[in-house]
Structures are given as C-alpha cells and as structure tokens.
Amino acid sequence: MRQLIWILWPSFVVAGFAEVAFFTLIDPQELYLFGEPTHFSRTATYSIGFFCFWAVCAASSMFTCFIQRSSDEVNRCTIAATCKDRVLTRN
Amino acid sequence: MSQDELNPSCSPAERKPASMGEPEAPSAPLYEVHKKIYPRSVTGLFASWRWALVWFTQLLFYGLCWLPWNGRQAVLFDLVERKFYIFGLIFWPQDVIYLSVLLIIAAYGLFLFTAIGGRLFCGYACPQTVYTEIFVWIEERIEGGRATRMKLDQQPWSRRKLMLKTAKHAIWIGFAFWTGFTFVGYFTPINILSLSVVNFSLGPWETFWILFYGFATYGNAGYMREQVCKYMCPYARFQSVMFDPDTLVVTYDIERGEPRGARSRKLDHKAEGKGDCVDCGICVQVCPTGIDIRKGLQYECIGCSACIDACDQVMDKMLYPRGLIRYSTEHAIEQHWGRTEILAHLIRPRIVIYGAILACIVVAGAYGIATRLPLKVDVIRDRNSLSREVENGLIENLYRLQIMNVSETMHRYAISVSGLEGIDIAAERIVEIPAAGARVVLVPVRVPPESGKKGSNRIYFDVNAIGDEKIAVHEKASFLMP
C-alpha cells in the first residue's frame, strides 16, 4: 500500500503540472493521432491527456522504487521478505 | 478541580509524561499500522479564526460559481473554449504569463507568511484543513464527542452503530459530491451543469470528474486527514527552510511548564518545585495530527493553534496566566522577550526581501493587467503556398491573421499592411469580431515584383479598432519574393 501511494501520489502531482503546462501551450484540437486529426472533444482530450501524463509519471516513480531496493532486498527477492526487511531496517 | 477533571478520557499513553529531548519513537509505516486520531473539539480565539476562514473560503468556493456577470458566469475557466473569465477580465492561452505571475505571487506570499508566522496557510486556509474541520464537525454532530466516538468504534456492530455510521457516511458523501459538482462548475458553466444533473443528461467526462473530485474530498477529509499533511504534502517537508529563529510558531514554554505534573489547585505548585503544566494531555487530544507540542517544534505541526486554545482554558481553570503554549519565536523563548520585542524582530532582512519581491511582482502584474491591450493578433504565413504570381504580374503571399477580441464589447477592426512599395491587401479589410470572440482571417497580400529583393522581405500588419485609436496592434511578418 505504501509503495502504491509512493508511486501514485507524486506522479499525480507532477501530471497535474504537466497537464497545465502542455495544454496551455497546445490546443487539443491541433493534435494528430496516427496522422489523423483527433476527433475527441476538448474535455475528452484534456482528461485522456491527464491520465496519460499520470501513467507516464507513475511508470517513472515505479522504476525509481524498483531500482531503489538495496542489494539485500534484491538477493532475497520475495516481496514479503522485502517489506518485512524494509520495516525492520527503518526501525 | 480534581485530578480526574483535568484528565478526562486521557489514554495511558497520553498521560505518560513525555520527557524532553527523548528520541522520538519510529513512526508507524504509512497507511499500514495507522492509529486513528480522534481530535477533541476546541473553542477559543484561534478556533474562531479557523472557523471564520472555513466560512470565508467555503462561501467563496461554493458561491462564486453561481455569480452572474454580463450575462455569463463571473468566474469560469472555460477549458472547452480555452478562455478564462474572471469578472471583467478574459484570459486566453496567450496570457499564460499572467498565470505564471499568479503562481509566483502565491509562492512568494507563502514564503513571506511562513517566515513571519509559520504554517498559517496549513492551519487556517489549506483545503485539507478546512474540509477535515467540516468533516470532523459532521462526525461530532452524529457520533458525539471524542470519548463517545472512541467508545463507539470499540463497540461491536449493533443496529445503533450501523445507523450512526450510515448517517455519517451518507452526509459525508452528499457533501463530497456537492463539492465535486461545484469544482466542475468552475470549468463547465454551472447553470448548464445543474440542468444536466436534473435531467440526467450529464456528459461522461463531467460525471467522471464530479465523482473523482467528490471521492478525493471524501477520502482526504474523511479518512486520510492528517496523513495527507504528514506524508503527502511536499510543503510540510520544505517549510523548515523558510523558518528562522524569529519566526512565530506554536511553542510550548518549557521553562515555565516543566517539571510538569498533576497537582491540586489549592497548593502552591511553585513551592513544590513544579512548573505550570498540569500534564492533562488536552493539548495532545485536540491536536489534529496527534502530536505532543511539548516535545518542541515538529514537522507534523500544521500550526492550527488548537493546543493554544485548549491550554489557555486549562490555565484559566487553574488560575494561572494564559500562554503556556503560545505563538512565540525561538529567540523570544530563549531571551524571555515580550510582545514588543517579538514585533520589533518582525522586520528583518528575510522578511524585507520576500516582501519587496512580492510587492514588485504584484505591482508589475497589476500594471500589466490594467494596461493590457484588449486585442491580440497572431500572424501566420499560409503553409501551403509560399508565393505565387497573380494578374498584372503582382506577387501574392497568403497570411492567416488570428484576431482575438479580448474585450467584453463587439469591435470592428481595420487591417492594413506596410513595409514595401505598392503593397496591398486583396481582400476585405474590415472585420467584425464579437465580444470575447476570435476569428481567423485569410489575408492575401500583393506586391509589385520590383518592390522587394529576392527571398524574405520584412512587412508589417496593422490592426486598428475602428472608433478607438488606442486599440491597435503592429505585427511583423515576412514576405517571400520568388
């Protein structure tokens, strides 16, 4: 759960900034999808755009979490052991 | 007053005196072993301020979207039309500079207020605090005070408990979705939105965002509460860089309070070597983040001052002077400063610099908006044709002029072109654009071939509002000669 929040929350915040910056500069109606102009409404493009940003940012957060594991955690490798170990080392 | 009166429903953990300088126990992992906090309600000066701000911010939020202005919604961020209306001002994507100015003002405002008075924003105006306050108020009306709520949660499920919990969640959910509806009402005109809700014809995305925002409000204010401040808020983590030893923060006066301990009001506690803190634990019970302010400044403290109000009431009952917990500064506590000395240290380089920068940006932003030209013109060369020869051997280039009327009245504009000998427009020269409207005008420009050099030539477009000389835009463009 904690890892999920670490992945989803920062990516949500950054996606919000990215959304504002991107769509302030670019009109959704000027976007092309597979070489064709998009036929979605602006609201739909904004919403889909936000979730795309969120997904990309979440992927980045997930990768950060993944490579942050210590060598001990990687060597043991089971998820249950990882969590337990992490809590123990923190405390 | 008996000892028990001063220790109502205080758990053994809270009764245990927290010795100063004791290393803090490792905090519980996020969202795993979370101990629910039951904040005790509090009244007093700072509680009144907090409620005043709850009313102010929420009347603004729930009310402003219903305010009409010139036949439209006064404040509307129309994402579909890509126009932001704020009373008489209309902002287009080209006005993104004002958004940046607004963000910089907000950031510097936050820096300044934090440097002066700590987390004033967190304690009084942050939506997380405000909604938590409202949700806890609803909870208390339905389930009862702190002790009753704790008892109810420990009880096994019964008909009464089920009814109380259902009522609470129903009101929370209703309130949360009204909040979501209001939020979306700032992006879709709220009159249309409410009609759609009544007619069950709400669009899929509007429905989604109302539910999304409503769910976020319900989750954040109903369940996550202080955890948002403790674990999710980035501001809580970097606020310390804005603090200095002269920043006013909620402080426990250790020297006056320690050694703490229970006592009878009749005894002279000073003769017994005791401090003013009666160790009733009420400051911990009222704390929405569940910390003990007596352990010193902690990043979890949102500066809501609930503990000040609570402690002052206890001090009144004990007939001790108020202010054992108060707004004070590190220097003031160390050097026993009074109010005048604290205020004298308010003006210091950090505050002056933050204040000066903030003032400059506010003035520049206000000047920019006040003198903003209510007309915008974008000149784009037609990408499909570079240049071509037309009748009489003239060379023609095609331009697209996007003319945006940023004012609230209809205007007629005259388009003219200059920069080359014999240059002229071969189309309509007068365009009419409605209030807050925009139009793309195709402008073919013709030039005799001998007027310019081969390649790119600088030309100028002038767009002037007919009847108002001040509204004029001079834009450059390039004319291609074959």
Side-chain angles (χ1 to χ4, degrees):
Chain A
M1 184 67 182
R2 188 166 38 154
Q3 291 232 334
L4 197 66
I5 296 288
W6 278 344
I7 292 166
L8 291 181
W9 171 241
S11 52
F12 178 85
V13 176
V14 177
F17 282 113
E19 166 96 356
V20 173
F22 185 83
F23 286 115
T24 305
L25 302 175
I26 290 163
D27 183 344
Q29 308 276 279
E30 285 171 15
L31 293 175
Y32 283 76
L33 187 68
F34 302 120
E36 295 283 319
T38 51
H39 297 297
F40 307 126
S41 70
R42 279 205 178 109
T43 315
T45 316
Y46 290 133
S47 305
I48 294 166
F50 176 74
F51 286 104
C52 289
F53 280 127
W54 196 5
V56 169
C57 296
S60 162
S61 294
M62 203 187 285
F63 189 46
T64 308
C65 278
F66 182 70
I67 57 173
Q68 223 183 12
R69 298 188 305 167
S70 68
S71 57
D72 277 357
E73 288 169 328
V74 177
N75 291 339
R76 285 186 201 171
C77 212
T78 58
I79 291 170
T82 308
C83 290
K84 208 168 147 193
D85 188 55
R86 178 166 294 179
V87 171
L88 286 176
T89 47
R90 291 273 152 95
N91 292 351
Chain B
M1 181 182 286
S2 74
Q3 167 65 27
D4 276 324
E5 275 177 279
L6 280 173
N7 274 320
S9 66
C10 182
S11 71
E14 287 162 357
R15 252 179 227 238
K16 199 180 116 195
S19 61
M20 306 309 296
E22 181 184 74
E24 210 182 319
S27 57
L30 178 55
Y31 309 118
E32 282 174 8
V33 200
H34 166 243
K35 201 172 137 227
K36 189 173 171 186
I37 291 169
Y38 296 85
R40 179 190 171 112
S41 72
V42 65
T43 51
L45 174 69
F46 296 105
S48 309
W49 268 109
R50 236 175 12 257
W51 274 108
L53 271 143
V54 167
W55 278 102
F56 173 71
T57 53
Q58 296 318 290
L59 280 177
L60 205 67
F61 175 70
Y62 294 107
L64 202 56
C65 50
W66 294 99
L67 200 70
W69 183 276
N70 275 354
R72 60 166 166 81
Q73 194 169 320
V75 179
L76 177 68
F77 306 111
D78 194 339
L79 292 175
V80 174
E81 295 294 324
R82 292 176 72 74
K83 274 179 242 168
F84 286 3
Y85 301 93
I86 300 170
F87 295 95
L89 296 169
I90 302 161
F91 293 97
W92 298 63
Q94 285 81 355
D95 292 315
V96 66
I97 181 77
Y98 296 110
L99 178 71
S100 331
V101 168
L102 191 70
L103 289 178
I104 295 170
I105 290 175
Y108 269 98
L110 197 64
F111 292 173
L112 179 67
F113 293 129
T114 308
I116 294 175
R119 293 173 70 176
L120 290 173
F121 173 74
C122 300
Y124 298 91
C126 174
Q128 180 62 29
T129 307
V130 166
Y131 288 112
T132 303
E133 194 100 356
I134 296 170
F135 273 56
V136 170
W137 184 84
I138 295 172
E139 190 171 58
E140 196 166 292
R141 295 286 90 70
I142 294 173
E143 290 184 2
R146 179 175 189 265
T148 326
R149 292 206 301 273
M150 290 170 93
K151 221 165 97 187
L152 184 74
D153 278 3
Q154 279 158 9
Q155 278 169 7
W157 280 98
S158 64
R159 202 182 137 87
R160 185 177 162 273
K161 184 172 174 175
L162 187 72
M163 274 171 63
L164 286 177
K165 293 279 174 192
T166 313
K168 177 181 86 176
H169 286 283
I171 296 176
W172 274 2
I173 290 170
F175 186 81
F177 288 121
W178 181 37
T179 311
F181 169 78
T182 308
F183 176 74
V184 175
Y186 280 99
F187 300 96
T188 302
I190 200 149
N191 292 329
I192 300 173
L193 196 69
S194 40
L195 274 179
S196 316
V197 171
V198 174
N199 300 332
F200 295 103
S201 59
L202 209 56
W205 288 110
E206 275 99 1
T207 315
F208 172 79
W209 286 112
I210 290 175
L211 293 178
F212 188 92
Y213 199 84
F215 178 75
T217 309
Y218 173 71
N220 282 353
Y223 289 97
M224 289 162 66
R225 295 187 180 171
E226 80 289 346
Q227 299 186 80
V228 173
C229 313
K230 280 160 80 172
Y231 306 115
M232 287 161 74
C233 176
Y235 173 61
R237 305 294 171 117
F238 70 76
Q239 42 142 345
S240 56
V241 300
M242 288 167 263
F243 279 31
D244 60 32
D246 287 314
T247 299
L248 279 164
V249 283
V250 178
T251 319
Y252 167 67
D253 192 338
I254 301 172
E255 217 168 290
R256 193 185 136 189
E258 300 297 317
R260 70 186 75 161
R263 79 285 308 270
S264 160
R265 201 168 63 176
K266 289 165 199 146
L267 288 180
D268 180 4
H269 64 290
K270 283 190 179 140
E272 288 189 359
K274 279 183 176 167
D276 278 358
C277 176
V278 297
D279 202 15
C280 60
I282 291 178
C283 56
V284 181
Q285 292 175 29
V286 296
C287 180
T289 63
I291 57 164
D292 187 345
I293 194 69
R294 294 171 299 179
K295 287 181 184 169
L297 181 64
Q298 295 146 74
Y299 95 91
E300 292 94 338
C301 173
I302 58 167
C304 69
S305 318
C307 51
I308 301 187
D309 282 335
C311 188
D312 278 351
Q313 284 173 0
V314 175
M315 291 296 110
D316 288 351
K317 282 180 191 161
M318 296 300 291
L319 303 176
Y320 297 166
R322 286 183 164 202
L324 178 59
I325 303 176
R326 61 177 184 271
Y327 268 111
S328 189
T329 71
E330 201 184 313
H331 277 157
I333 290 280
E334 267 171 21
Q335 295 164 35
H336 306 283
W337 285 348
R339 183 184 287 254
T340 18
E341 284 144 313
I342 293 176
L343 289 179
H345 283 79
L346 205 63
I347 296 171
R348 49 189 191 271
R350 180 192 285 258
I351 304 293
V352 173
I353 293 170
Y354 283 159
I357 295 176
L358 185 63
C360 289
I361 300 168
V362 169
V363 170
Y367 178 79
I369 289 176
T371 56
R372 195 168 68 125
L373 202 62
L375 167 68
K376 290 180 192 300
V377 178
D378 281 344
V379 181
I380 308 150
R381 278 184 51 85
D382 191 67
R383 287 176 210 157
N384 299 325
S385 64
L386 290 174
S387 66
R388 64 183 187 130
E389 200 178 318
V390 290
E391 65 259 37
N392 306 331
L394 296 172
I395 305 297
E396 184 184 271
N397 277 201
L398 196 57
Y399 299 85
R400 301 162 77 87
L401 262 61
Q402 194 187 16
I403 305 176
M404 289 158 271
N405 178 1
V406 192
S407 74
E408 292 214 77
T409 45
M410 187 274 286
H411 274 295
R412 294 172 77 222
Y413 301 99
I415 306 170
S416 59
V417 65
S418 60
L420 289 173
E421 186 79 39
I423 192 165
D424 204 5
I425 294 171
E428 57 167 346
R429 288 151 206 241
I430 307 269
V431 285
E432 192 176 289
I433 298 178
R439 207 177 128 187
V440 175
V441 188
L442 269 181
V443 183
V445 174
R446 291 178 184 179
V447 173
E450 64 280 4
S451 297
K453 62 181 195 302
K454 197 170 180 303
S456 175
N457 294 273
R458 176 57 36 93
I459 61 164
Y460 300 94
F461 281 98
D462 281 284
V463 180
N464 298 292
I466 297 170
D468 192 343
E469 288 166 7
K470 284 184 202 145
I471 307 177
V473 169
H474 186 67
E475 277 285 319
K476 61 186 177 203
S478 61
F479 189 95
L480 287 182
M481 278 289 190

